[in-house]
Amino acid sequence: MKQSYDEFSKIMNGMARKFELSKVFNDLLTMSICSFHHTNIQSRFQKKDEANEVLYMNTIKPYERETLNEFAKAIGILQLNAVQNPYSDTLGEFFMQDITKGRNGQYFTPEPICDMMAHMQINNRKDEFNKRVLDPACGSGRMLLSAAKINPKNYFFGADNSNTCAKMATLNFFMNGLRGEVAWMNSLSMEFYGGWHINTNGIEIVPIDAEQSHIWSAPPMREEIDLESKELGDTEFSGEQLTFF
């Protein structure tokens, strides 16, 4: 992964000589998600989704052809890394090391800790699939990537209040072939700003609104505990409980 990170960082920082690095990075995420839109992939780029096309064209507008070619190279590095180092998090590492540099507490959980927590929570049986795994503050999605190392056949759900983090997680899901949803939302107040279904009906990314979001529309719920009449061990849960990190 280090080689991929170094190559990716070199390209991104090269483009940052003309543009702010955080803008370049966010535009890369947006371009990638737009490119992998359901309509583009299913039609082999013979059809266009109007809203997706407008977003893509507005995103690339500030850049010349030479710079756009550099974006394409950066995306290619990410795709190749997903093949050579599946479930690694080049995007999150670059975001921490080159953009936030730890400001506002944005240091993601180290990968070995993510792997340990995943093993504590996820059943190691490969014959079990279609279970749902949720991280309500997913960052770049690396906890869920660690869960996928154990069983990639599950459905993975991530939510984050940061638009940049939600887009990183979405791209990490897509490039690693994970099925599920990423919501850009506040998991505490349940304010929903946007989201995507990833690989749920073939290889694709589909933008969604709140009503289409499983995280927002059907969050895991727990019955209220009557402490006077129930012991904690007797508490019953309503709905289908997700595995939490």
Side-chain angles (χ1 to χ4, degrees), residues 27 30 38 65 80 84 166 232:
D27 285 347
T30 301
H38 164 82
R65 172 59 61 182
L80 185 60
Q84 297 175 338
L232 290 177

Side-chain angles (χ1 to χ4, degrees), residues 151-163:
N151 194 337
K153 296 180 180 179
N154 289 326
Y155 279 92
F156 299 91
F157 294 82
D160 203 279
N161 196 42
S162 162
N163 177 259

Side-chain angles (χ1 to χ4, degrees), residues 20 29 51 62 83 99 138 174 204 217:
E20 183 184 0
L29 299 175
V83 174
I99 297 179
C138 68
F174 178 81
E204 61 182 7
S217 63

Side-chain angles (χ1 to χ4, degrees), residues 181-196:
E181 175 189 321
V182 175
W184 172 30
M185 64 179 288
N186 186 320
S187 297
L188 296 177
S189 66
M190 295 301 289
E191 293 176 273
F192 186 94
Y193 315 116
W196 302 268

Side-chain angles (χ1 to χ4, degrees), residues 53-212:
E53 191 69 10
V54 169
L55 176 59
Y56 180 80
M57 296 305 293
N58 286 338
T59 304
I60 70 171
K61 188 179 296 184
Y63 304 106
E64 298 176 352
R65 172 59 61 182
E66 182 180 349
T67 305
L68 292 175
N69 288 339
E70 293 299 300
F71 277 113
K73 291 178 185 178
I75 296 171
I77 289 171
L78 294 174
Q79 291 179 308
L80 185 60
N81 180 67
V83 174
Q84 297 175 338
N85 304 287
Y87 313 123
S88 59
D89 184 22
T90 298
L91 288 171
E93 199 65 28
F94 178 81
F95 181 70
M96 288 189 299
Q97 300 298 331
D98 293 67
I99 297 179
T100 68
K101 300 179 181 179
R103 290 191 294 270
N104 301 319
Q106 285 186 299
Y107 271 129
F108 299 141
T109 306
E111 184 176 341
I113 304 300
C114 293
D115 290 344
M116 179 192 71
M117 295 178 68
H119 279 284
M120 293 170 64
Q121 293 286 336
I122 306 297
N123 194 320
N124 199 31
R125 288 179 55 186
K126 295 293 184 180
D127 60 331
E128 290 190 353
F129 56 93
N130 292 340
K131 291 186 177 296
R132 300 191 295 171
V133 185
L134 168 68
D135 185 348
C138 68
S140 57
R142 58 174 51 184
M143 284 277 194
L144 296 165
L145 292 175
S146 288
K149 293 177 186 177
I150 300 171
N151 194 337
K153 296 180 180 179
N154 289 326
Y155 279 92
F156 299 91
F157 294 82
D160 203 279
N161 196 42
S162 162
N163 177 259
T164 302
C165 288
K167 289 190 292 188
M168 283 193 288
T170 297
L171 204 52
N172 273 333
F173 275 32
F174 178 81
M175 290 191 169
N176 285 280
L178 303 186
R179 301 174 299 167
E181 175 189 321
V182 175
W184 172 30
M185 64 179 288
N186 186 320
S187 297
L188 296 177
S189 66
M190 295 301 289
E191 293 176 273
F192 186 94
Y193 315 116
W196 302 268
H197 283 161
I198 304 104
N199 300 328
T200 55
N201 188 28
I203 301 173
E204 61 182 7
I205 296 177
V206 181
I208 58 172
D209 55 27
E211 287 71 24
Q212 296 170 305

